[in-house]
Amino acid sequence: SQQGEEDPQALSIQEGENATMNCSYKTSINNLQWYRQNSGRGLVHLILIRSNEREKHSGRLRVTLDTSKKSSSLLITASRAADTASYFCATEGRAAGNKLTFGGGTRVLVKP
Amino acid sequence: GAVVSQHPSWVICKSGTSVKIECRSLDFQATTMFWYRQFPKQSLMLMATSNEGSKATYEQGVEKDKFLINHASLTLSTLTVTSAHPEDSSFYICSEWSQDTDTQYFGPGTRLTVL
């Protein structure tokens, strides 16, 4: 079963706006990762945040992690049409042996 | 990041036939690979963990006799869908885990359609 729930399920914004999506999970984790998937394609790793980290940046991406609330957020700033994709969070549980459990995903549409 | 390939990228087969999907690690040796299934507009569900030189570990609810996994070398894992049925139609994605970066790198996926 999926550990993560993502919110919102879908998001439509104008180019240049920021996009924020949230992920909640249930059990203790080693790390949480965010991936992007373009339609019908494989997954591209975006960013990994460890359980002892609270915030991480990579280019236009900002990820936060709140282990007390078991939640994470992904912010894409100054969005571009090329950011249109589905975004998934995935958690690696403490006893998971590197296995990832994926959230339901957020479908982001960036309109030019 | 690491490069993972899958072959074929898509396949259409008749019900009852078996289909083999290959997952190759192109630039490093992967002792552990993972197989996922993704139905349309849904998330990835882990099917099994493939360990080089040993039997795969299947997730609950995944039939090991139906989804045969072989990880015969450090660069190749195969998933064979045996006696495929229309409900097996899905997007199958493999990944390899890199100990160096503690990250999974995903293949481009294989679209299976069973008629």
Side-chain angles (χ1 to χ4, degrees), chain B residues 1 8 11 19-21 26 32 51-52 54 60 64 66 76 84 87 95 101 103 105-107 112:
Chain B
V11 57
V19 175
K20 179 185 282 188
I21 302 170
L26 299 182
T32 301
N51 302 295
E52 187 268 336
S54 64
Q60 192 172 11
K64 62 179 182 180
K66 180 166 182 64
L76 174 65
E87 58 264 31
S95 72
T101 60
T103 299
Y105 297 98
F106 285 81
L112 170 64

Side-chain angles (χ1 to χ4, degrees), chain A residues 39-72:
Chain A
S39 181
R41 309 289 293 275
L43 273 72
V44 174
H45 183 261
L46 296 177
I47 201 164
L48 179 152
I49 187 165
R50 302 189 186 282
S51 59
N52 61 352
E53 297 175 311
R54 292 295 166 260
E55 188 171 313
K56 214 163 181 181
H57 297 256
S58 177
R60 293 184 295 114
L61 305 179
R62 173 177 168 260
V63 168
T64 64
L65 177 65
D66 186 335
T67 53
S68 67
K69 295 180 179 178
K70 292 187 169 57
S71 67
S72 174

Side-chain angles (χ1 to χ4, degrees), chain A residues 1-2 31 33 35 37 40-43 45 48 50 88 92 97-100 102-105 107, chain B residues 34 36 38 41-46 49 59 91 93 97 101-109 111:
Chain A
S1 61
Q2 293 172 197
N31 62 64
Q33 305 181 38
Y35 289 85
Q37 184 182 36
R41 309 289 293 275
L43 273 72
H45 183 261
L48 179 152
R50 302 189 186 282
F88 294 92
E92 181 186 312
N98 308 118
K99 293 194 297 185
L100 294 178
F102 281 82
R107 292 189 300 280
Chain B
F34 299 92
Y36 297 84
Q38 185 181 30
K41 295 187 178 182
Q42 294 188 25
S43 188
L44 280 74
M45 297 296 291
L46 179 65
T49 304
E59 295 300 298
F91 194 52
I93 309 176
W97 175 69
T101 60
D102 198 14
T103 299
Q104 285 193 29
Y105 297 98
F106 285 81
R111 174 81 53 195

Side-chain angles (χ1 to χ4, degrees), chain B residues 21-25 33-35 50-51 69-79 94:
Chain B
I21 302 170
E22 294 185 348
C23 176
R24 290 185 186 274
S25 171
M33 290 185 171
F34 299 92
W35 286 96
S50 173
N51 302 295
I69 292 172
N70 185 292
H71 193 158
S73 77
L74 288 170
T75 59
L76 174 65
S77 176
T78 61
L79 167 68
C94 70

